[in-house]
Amino acid sequence: MQPIILASSSPRRQEILKLLNIPFQVVIPNYEEEYPDSIEPEKIPEYLATRKVDAVARSAPAGTEYPWILGADTIIIKDKKILGKPEDSEQAFKFIKELQGKTHKVVTGMALFNSELHFVSNRTSITEVTFAKMTDEEINWYVSTGEWHGAAGGYRIQGLASCFITKIKGTNSGVMGLPIFELYDMLKEQNYSLIQ
């Protein structure tokens, strides 16, 4: 199996690639996380994932080309409003307060570059997550754990946030930031086999 360049520093995405026994190397993309105002919220992660892949491809040392580059991006959408990564514990509290007792969408977009074909394929995974009602005391406790750091919407589904999640319509891996089914489907489409 050829190694894949992962255009992300996310430990969760790395865990998923390890789970699938995919050899990988992390190259953090140098790019601005911007997107056009006209783009639909559900399309933003795929757009940003493609920009990450492009930034990493351009950063390859002269005369070399990465055979495979995988980029991914995740956002939380609540009532058409995007909740990104909280800047501080105050904003993390605000985000969780907004999510508690309600259902929101977790949208993860992926882009996979195949250098042999000079082709980028994309996939988007949308998962609906429902939080139980939470007291301010519970929200404060959760925020105090620090799990919100670097997490879209201010929570990690694979951590203590699962104490408050009553329903998931979709996949856990999609919420973690690298939907396994969609990733497998993209790899298979590009003749990258996990079956040895």
Side-chain angles (χ1 to χ4, degrees):
M1 250 189 275
Q2 283 183 308
I4 286 178
I5 299 296
L6 176 62
S8 168
S9 60
S10 161
R12 308 302 154 252
R13 293 184 181 125
Q14 292 174 41
E15 279 170 27
I16 289 170
L17 291 181
K18 283 176 190 166
L19 171 76
L20 297 170
N21 289 318
I22 295 173
F24 69 92
Q25 180 190 335
V26 172
V27 176
I28 297 166
N30 182 14
Y31 83 115
E32 291 296 318
E33 200 163 300
E34 296 169 344
Y35 47 85
D37 292 336
S38 58
I39 197 168
E40 291 173 48
E42 280 90 353
K43 298 283 182 197
I44 292 169
E46 211 174 274
Y47 175 85
L48 292 175
T50 305
R51 289 204 53 201
K52 288 178 184 180
V53 164
D54 187 54
V56 167
R58 289 174 193 276
S59 75
T64 63
E65 191 171 46
Y66 297 130
W68 300 91
I69 306 170
L70 175 66
D73 197 82
T74 303
I75 61 168
I76 303 283
I77 302 174
K78 174 76 187 71
D79 301 326
K80 296 190 179 180
K81 180 180 160 194
I82 295 165
L83 303 183
K85 295 169 185 170
E87 288 168 18
D88 52 32
S89 57
E90 225 169 85
Q91 194 173 40
F93 180 93
K94 192 178 155 218
F95 283 0
I96 302 293
K97 181 98 173 163
E98 232 173 289
L99 298 175
Q100 64 85 31
K102 299 182 185 93
T103 300
H104 62 274
K105 283 183 191 173
V106 180
V107 184
T108 295
M110 291 185 296
L112 178 69
F113 173 69
N114 175 338
S115 69
E116 201 178 307
L117 301 174
H118 280 268
F119 177 74
V120 176
S121 60
N122 298 88
R123 294 285 188 284
T124 292
S125 160
I126 299 176
T127 303
E128 290 182 4
V129 178
T130 305
F131 266 80
K133 288 189 175 175
M134 295 168 72
T135 64
D136 283 1
E137 187 184 13
E138 287 173 318
I139 298 171
N140 274 320
W141 169 75
Y142 181 70
V143 170
S144 75
T145 68
E147 266 190 10
W148 58 270
H149 285 280
Y155 75 91
R156 295 195 191 283
I157 198 164
Q158 71 280 16
L160 294 168
S162 56
C163 293
F164 307 107
I165 292 167
T166 61
K167 189 176 167 193
I168 297 169
K169 191 178 171 188
T171 65
N172 264 25
S173 60
V175 183
M176 284 172 67
L178 201 61
I180 292 172
F181 172 76
E182 287 81 356
L183 174 61
Y184 180 71
D185 195 45
M186 279 198 321
L187 292 168
K188 198 164 68 168
E189 177 191 77
Q190 297 297 314
N191 294 319
Y192 185 104
S193 180
L194 299 186
I195 302 162
Q196 296 299 309

